[in-house]
Amino acid sequence: MASTAAGKQRIPKVAKVKNKAPAEVQITAEQLLREAKERELELLPPPPKQKITDAEELNDYKLKKRKGFEDNIRKNRTVISNWIKYAQWEESLKEVQRARSIYERALDVDHRNITLWLKYAEMKRDTGDATSPRVNQFWYKYTYMEEMLGNIVGCRQVFERWMEWEPEEQAWHSYINFELRYKEVDKSRTLVMVHPEVKNWIKYAHFEEKHGYIARARKVFERAVEFFGEEHINENLYVAFSRFEEKQKEFERVRIIYKYALDRIPKQQAQELFKNYTVFEKRFGDRRGIEDVIVSKRRFQYEEEVKVNHSTKCIMLINELEVKEPERTRQVYQACLELIPHKKFTFAKIWPLYAQFEIRQKNLQNARRGLGTAIGKCPKNKLFKGYIELELQLREFDRCRKLYEKYLEFSPENCTTWIKFAELETILGDTERARAIFELAIGQPRLDMPEVLWKSYIDSEIEQEEYENTRGLYKRLLQRTQHVKVWISYGQFELSIDSDDRIQRCRQIYEEANKSMQNCEEKEERLMLLESWRDFEDELGSFANKERVQKLLPEKVKKRRKITAEDGSDAGWEEYYDYIFPEDAANQPNLKLLAMAKMWKKQQQQEDEDEDEEEQEEEEQQFTAWSLCYYEILWPVSQILKIERNSILFN
């Protein structure tokens, strides 16, 4: 049945082509595809215009677009056009950081693509982005390339751009070494401002010392001590400072530095300092100094032993305070104070602790008695300060005066104590008494910080508007020292007073200072004075005064000197800078001869230029004469000859 049905199934007839001739207009496959594409575009409706109305919708749009770009990059990572489109889209949204990140990622894929680099550079140019990647390796290569090409100025500019974002310490050392290779010493002094570690301060000071700037090196150490203060004190700084002064044969300075540091650095952190101090005293000290060192060493050992053996008593003190049994606590304190051999050494902290305990128990009499006993048995700075602070809190100013007097009898060289005593009297309104204290202070034969004392005295008189007294103090101070900072401070003081002759007074001080410092060994200090004077005249002086000061400034010259090793042998030569002032040049015949040679060379150059101008003028005159000769004589003759020749030809 099935086969019969299949046999009966009709087969469709094929349409017969009546006209088999080719059509007049032939349609190509390309035309068919083009028409199909055009009709497809006609059928598709245009995409709707999308309007974003709020921030949330904008964020969704950005997220969607970024996801699409990231998907394209993930599928075709090596197609750089996808990266460029992504970055340009981010740039159009003012997302410069994102665009830069995309370009950087693309460069990781193909760093040889020129189009990518051009688009990245155009983006930086259009957005005004002058930043460079903060990768130190790149900057090292960049500066090395510029220096190898001989572009020193360009290399310095690269270093300056690099240093603007304060890179690591090694980068600064590279910059310093670069400047030193080209003898630019003045441009090598900025490291400690960015990386103010102790080791960098020490390197800075050694740098100044190496180039012969001893005064600058000392100032660097002093600035470092002031910068770190007592809170962040470091023994390595003081060891280096002491060794520097020892090289300069300033043994008294070395001794003061060691004692200052040992009084402030905890014993556990001052082992190296104490060791160096001992070696110094054995080499350069007298018998008394060596004995002081030995006593200090034994005191340190005793303190360590007491800490070990009597720690249980400290714990006992705390326990007694916690269980609120003041009488037993008092007994423990008294037992502890009796145990310590105060005439040999003492613990300055135990006495104030005992006094504070008695104050908490509202027993002021016992507190005062304890501190008085401490000062009588073993006077120390901390004990006096603690006792005075207690009486100040209690507003017992008469007792404070008596304590200050005792304190100054014990330590008359302590400038800080004199200043605090005078400040107390000033606060209490007794300026005459404060002035008398300052006078007693500056009359002491030995002071630890005389410059600080004098400054405090001068500032006190300025605050009281006692200007004549202030002038007198400056004159008395200048009789003792001719330091440039004193002269400059004196001039600034006169300039700060509201008077008609303040400018003339200030100028007169600068003139006196310049005369006084003509024989000063430290030429840098005189240069500092003249630079300060020049700045003053630039701001307030006339043109003539400016020219006058400018002529007083020295000439900076490079010299060479021998280096002598510690064993006395020659260690070669070194270059250094010296300052030649006008009067020095006039007094030294060699410098006179050098100046005359420079003038002769300049005169020769001027004469050569004059001769060249005369030769050029003579050539111009000859050319003019020949031109006149041609137009007045030769040209008419040539015209006559031409006419005669034509007449002969025609005839």
Side-chain angles (χ1 to χ4, degrees):
M1 294 291 292
S3 60
T4 305
K8 291 180 179 181
Q9 197 175 18
R10 289 184 178 184
I11 299 172
K13 293 181 180 181
V14 179
K16 294 181 180 181
V17 180
K18 296 180 180 180
N19 187 3
K20 295 183 179 181
E24 295 179 1
V25 179
Q26 295 293 320
I27 300 174
T28 62
E30 182 183 358
Q31 186 176 357
L32 290 173
L33 291 173
R34 189 187 307 115
E35 289 179 358
K37 188 68 176 176
E38 289 175 357
R39 290 187 179 183
E40 181 182 351
L41 293 175
E42 290 177 1
L43 294 174
L44 290 174
K49 293 183 179 180
Q50 187 175 5
K51 291 184 179 180
I52 299 174
T53 57
D54 57 5
E56 185 178 356
E57 190 174 355
L58 177 62
N59 292 332
D60 292 340
Y61 167 73
K62 289 180 180 179
L63 181 63
K64 183 178 178 181
K65 290 287 288 184
R66 284 175 183 140
K67 186 177 183 302
F69 280 121
E70 292 289 347
D71 290 341
N72 289 336
I73 290 171
R74 197 179 300 110
K75 294 174 183 176
N76 301 300
R77 183 176 177 79
T78 58
V79 179
I80 300 300
S81 59
N82 291 339
W83 293 94
I84 295 174
K85 289 177 184 178
Y86 190 7
Q88 289 176 340
W89 180 78
E90 292 287 1
E91 183 186 353
S92 66
L93 297 177
K94 308 298 182 184
E95 295 283 353
V96 180
Q97 294 290 343
R98 287 180 176 273
R100 187 188 300 118
S101 175
I102 294 164
Y103 277 119
E104 294 289 345
R105 289 166 58 195
L107 288 171
D108 290 338
V109 175
D110 186 3
H111 66 279
R112 296 180 181 272
N113 193 297
I114 298 174
T115 304
L116 181 61
W117 282 103
L118 290 175
K119 293 295 183 181
Y120 193 7
E122 289 173 3
M123 189 271 292
K124 280 182 166 287
R125 179 199 63 195
D126 296 339
T127 58
D129 183 11
T131 59
S132 299
R134 296 194 174 189
V135 180
N136 289 323
Q137 191 65 25
F138 166 77
W139 290 96
Y140 284 125
K141 295 289 186 182
Y142 193 2
T143 54
Y144 176 75
M145 179 196 70
E146 293 288 359
E147 187 175 4
M148 292 301 294
L149 293 174
N151 186 10
I152 307 305
V153 176
C155 184
R156 182 174 291 112
Q157 291 174 352
V158 173
F159 267 118
E160 289 172 354
R161 286 173 54 197
W162 188 8
M163 298 305 117
E164 285 177 0
W165 50 273
E166 300 181 358
E168 62 183 13
E169 184 180 324
Q170 185 58 40
W172 287 90
H173 287 302
S174 299
Y175 185 21
I176 292 170
N177 293 332
F178 163 76
E179 296 292 0
L180 291 178
R181 283 197 293 274
Y182 299 97
K183 310 301 182 183
E184 294 291 345
V185 179
D186 294 334
K187 295 181 180 179
S188 309
R189 296 187 169 102
T190 54
L191 174 61
V192 295
M193 306 307 295
V194 181
H195 296 282
E197 289 84 7
V198 171
K199 61 179 181 179
N200 291 331
W201 282 98
I202 296 173
K203 288 180 182 178
Y204 186 11
H206 289 167
F207 162 80
E208 297 289 1
E209 181 186 4
K210 179 181 177 182
H211 290 84
Y213 298 109
I214 304 302
R216 283 181 180 268
R218 183 175 289 117
K219 288 175 184 175
V220 170
F221 276 119
E222 292 172 354
R223 284 174 54 197
V225 171
E226 182 180 355
F227 176 81
F228 289 103
E230 296 186 5
E231 296 181 0
H232 305 284
I233 197 166
N234 187 289
E235 71 164 341
N236 294 328
L237 175 63
Y238 289 92
V239 169
F241 195 3
S242 303
R243 288 177 178 173
F244 163 77
E245 295 292 358
E246 187 176 332
K247 289 180 183 178
Q248 311 308 319
K249 310 299 183 183
E250 296 286 349
F251 300 130
E252 192 59 34
R253 283 178 177 268
V254 177
R255 189 171 287 109
I256 292 173
I257 292 168
Y258 276 126
K259 290 183 178 180
Y260 177 86
L262 288 170
D263 288 342
R264 287 161 176 80
I265 299 178
K267 299 295 187 299
Q268 297 81 2
Q269 302 174 13
Q271 299 290 337
E272 188 67 22
L273 186 70
F274 194 83
K275 179 181 176 182
N276 282 272
Y277 182 33
T278 306
V279 173
F280 167 76
E281 288 292 354
K282 288 181 179 179
R283 290 181 61 190
F284 304 105
D286 52 9
R287 180 177 178 181
R288 183 179 177 182
I290 297 172
E291 289 177 354
D292 290 341
V293 172
I294 294 172
V295 169
S296 300
K297 187 175 182 180
R298 288 180 179 175
R299 182 183 294 115
F300 175 72
Q301 293 174 353
Y302 288 148
E303 289 174 356
E304 293 298 321
E305 290 177 5
V306 170
K307 287 180 183 177
V308 174
N309 297 331
H310 299 283
S311 58
T312 53
K313 291 196 175 182
C314 296
I315 297 170
M316 187 175 179
L317 283 173
I318 298 171
N319 291 334
E320 290 294 338
L321 288 171
E322 288 180 355
V323 298
K324 297 181 180 180
E325 293 187 10
E327 191 57 37
R328 290 195 62 187
T329 305
R330 185 177 291 109
Q331 292 174 3
V332 173
Y333 268 118
Q334 291 173 355
C336 182
L337 292 171
E338 290 176 1
L339 178 66
I340 300 171
H342 301 289
K343 292 184 179 180
K344 294 181 179 180
F345 70 91
T346 187
F347 295 110
K349 291 182 179 180
I350 193 68
W351 294 100
L353 288 173
Y354 174 51
Q356 291 170 10
F357 161 74
E358 292 291 359
I359 291 171
R360 287 195 298 270
Q361 304 306 317
K362 300 180 181 180
N363 196 338
L364 183 60
Q365 191 66 26
N366 283 353
R368 283 174 174 161
R369 187 182 296 113
L371 290 172
T373 304
I375 291 172
K377 285 186 176 182
C378 48
K380 295 186 75 173
N381 291 333
K382 289 183 179 180
L383 294 175
F384 278 108
K385 289 178 182 178
Y387 200 173
I388 291 171
E389 184 66 26
L390 171 64
E391 297 296 350
L392 281 175
Q393 292 176 359
L394 298 172
R395 300 294 187 269
E396 293 288 346
F397 300 118
D398 289 333
R399 288 180 177 272
C400 289
R401 288 190 176 108
K402 292 179 181 179
L403 286 171
Y404 270 121
E405 292 172 1
K406 292 287 185 182
Y407 193 179
L408 292 170
E409 288 177 6
F410 164 69
S411 179
E413 72 279 358
N414 194 329
C415 291
T416 305
T417 308
W418 287 103
I419 294 169
K420 293 290 185 183
F421 193 6
E423 287 177 353
L424 173 64
E425 297 296 348
T426 304
I427 292 170
L428 296 176
D430 197 343
T431 55
E432 291 297 328
R433 192 180 180 93
R435 187 175 292 115
I437 292 169
F438 274 122
E439 288 293 335
L440 284 172
I442 61 176
Q444 297 299 314
R446 184 177 177 183
L447 295 169
D448 57 356
M449 294 185 294
E451 66 281 358
V452 178
L453 179 64
W454 278 93
K455 185 179 183 303
S456 299
Y457 193 3
I458 290 170
D459 292 343
S460 175
E461 294 293 348
I462 294 173
E463 288 178 4
Q464 302 298 325
E465 298 184 358
E466 295 288 346
Y467 300 134
E468 288 300 326
N469 292 344
T470 306
R471 291 189 182 98
L473 285 174
Y474 271 116
K475 291 176 181 177
R476 290 164 62 188
L477 179 57
L478 288 169
Q479 291 175 358
R480 300 190 179 195
T481 178
Q482 292 288 316
H483 200 280
V484 63
K485 288 187 178 180
V486 179
W487 284 108
I488 294 174
S489 176
Y490 191 8
Q492 291 174 349
F493 158 71
E494 292 290 357
L495 194 62
S496 65
I497 299 174
D498 188 10
S499 62
D500 297 334
D501 59 342
R502 65 189 185 95
I503 296 177
Q504 185 60 33
R505 281 180 177 272
C506 182
R507 185 176 292 117
Q508 184 178 357
I509 290 168
Y510 277 119
E511 290 175 354
E512 293 177 3
N514 185 40
K515 290 179 183 178
S516 175
M517 298 185 69
Q518 284 184 354
N519 298 324
C520 179
E521 294 182 359
E522 296 291 343
K523 294 184 178 181
E524 294 175 2
E525 292 188 0
R526 189 181 175 196
L527 175 62
M528 192 186 305
L529 174 74
L530 291 174
E531 288 176 346
S532 176
W533 190 2
R534 180 192 60 192
D535 296 340
F536 159 73
E537 296 292 355
D538 288 343
E539 183 179 358
L540 301 171
S542 62
F543 179 77
N545 288 325
K546 294 177 186 177
E547 289 292 320
R548 179 188 169 202
V549 177
Q550 192 67 33
K551 291 178 181 178
L552 295 174
L553 289 171
E555 181 182 0
K556 186 178 180 181
V557 296
K558 186 185 291 185
K559 293 185 177 181
R560 297 180 66 200
R561 61 187 173 194
K562 273 189 174 182
I563 305 174
T564 305
E566 294 182 358
D567 57 356
S569 61
D570 292 338
W573 294 80
E574 69 173 355
E575 293 183 347
Y576 71 100
Y577 287 98
D578 193 11
Y579 296 98
I580 307 300
F581 290 89
E583 63 271 12
D584 297 336
N587 295 331
Q588 298 182 18
N590 292 336
L591 295 175
K592 265 188 178 180
L593 184 61
L594 182 61
M596 291 172 64
K598 287 183 178 179
M599 289 179 62
W600 177 82
K601 185 177 180 181
K602 188 175 181 181
Q603 186 177 0
Q604 288 295 112
Q605 291 177 350
Q606 185 65 34
E607 289 178 359
D608 293 341
E609 291 177 0
D610 294 341
E611 288 179 1
D612 293 340
E613 291 178 359
E614 290 177 0
E615 290 178 359
Q616 186 177 359
E617 187 177 354
E618 186 177 352
E619 290 176 357
E620 290 177 355
Q621 290 176 357
Q622 290 178 357
F623 177 75
T624 305
W626 280 106
S627 300
L628 291 172
C629 178
Y630 174 76
Y631 284 109
E632 292 179 359
I633 300 173
L634 297 178
W635 189 77
V637 170
S638 66
Q639 295 299 317
I640 293 169
L641 292 174
K642 188 184 291 185
I643 292 169
E644 289 180 355
R645 186 183 62 183
N646 292 336
S647 63
I648 292 170
L649 291 173
F650 284 114
N651 291 331

